[in-house]
Amino acid sequence: TKLQPIEQCGADFQQRLLQFFKSRGVDGPHLVALTLESDRSIAGVFPDWYRERPDRWSEAISKSLKVLSTESSNFDFANHVSINLGVIRRSRHIVVNVNESSDTAWRDVVAKFEAEELPKPRSSPP
């Protein structure tokens, strides 16, 4: 990204995204494509990022439309700009890529549900 620090880039993207929705008369995107990674991150929202500060989890799950500036030491690129669940929830269509490496993460989540450590999932990947 050309804007530094990464938080400035995220703020700029959030402003542009909200303006885009407003100018089109919509309250969210038509399509969101996400990937579930083997570390259980989804859409660039990394467990090590939100565990570091509790307020980050609140930002990630907020019903408000937000762009997040996240970081993780688990990937080649430490800094990421992502959308929160508020944006994802308002999407008309959501595509989740569950590849071979994320299959392990999915099975781990399902095992935790079965052990009653987490609420029951609504659906599973194909």
Side-chain angles (χ1 to χ4, degrees), residues 45 49-62 66 68-70 84:
V45 179
W49 174 77
Y50 61 76
R51 286 181 185 144
E52 189 176 297
R53 286 194 359 230
D55 63 308
R56 289 178 172 172
W57 180 247
S58 296
E59 291 176 39
I61 65 170
S62 172
K66 294 183 183 244
L68 307 171
S69 302
T70 66
N84 75 339

Side-chain angles (χ1 to χ4, degrees), residues 51-119:
R51 286 181 185 144
E52 189 176 297
R53 286 194 359 230
D55 63 308
R56 289 178 172 172
W57 180 247
S58 296
E59 291 176 39
I61 65 170
S62 172
K63 291 182 180 180
S64 300
L65 302 177
K66 294 183 183 244
V67 172
L68 307 171
S69 302
T70 66
E71 54 195 42
S72 176
S73 58
N74 295 333
F75 293 92
D76 293 338
F77 302 99
N79 297 315
H80 301 264
V81 173
S82 185
I83 55 174
N84 75 339
L85 292 178
V87 177
I88 296 167
R89 280 186 199 107
R90 293 182 190 197
S91 179
R92 293 161 106 189
H93 303 280
I94 301 170
V95 176
V96 179
N97 176 25
V98 180
N99 56 39
E100 188 176 320
S101 67
S102 62
D103 185 55
T104 303
W106 178 255
R107 290 177 193 273
D108 185 43
V109 169
V110 169
K112 288 185 184 294
F113 286 126
E114 289 171 353
E116 297 185 31
E117 295 176 27
L118 299 171

Side-chain angles (χ1 to χ4, degrees), residues 2-45:
K2 293 182 180 182
L3 292 175
Q4 296 297 329
I6 193 71
E7 292 79 13
Q8 184 181 357
C9 180
D12 180 68
F13 181 49
Q14 179 170 313
Q15 178 185 2
R16 291 171 186 250
L17 185 65
L18 296 178
Q19 181 59 40
F20 176 79
F21 292 156
K22 184 178 179 179
S23 71
R24 299 294 191 270
V26 297
D27 67 347
H30 182 75
L31 172 70
V32 172
L34 312 168
T35 299
L36 172 65
E37 295 292 341
S38 59
D39 68 350
R40 295 190 220 152
S41 65
I42 189 160
V45 179

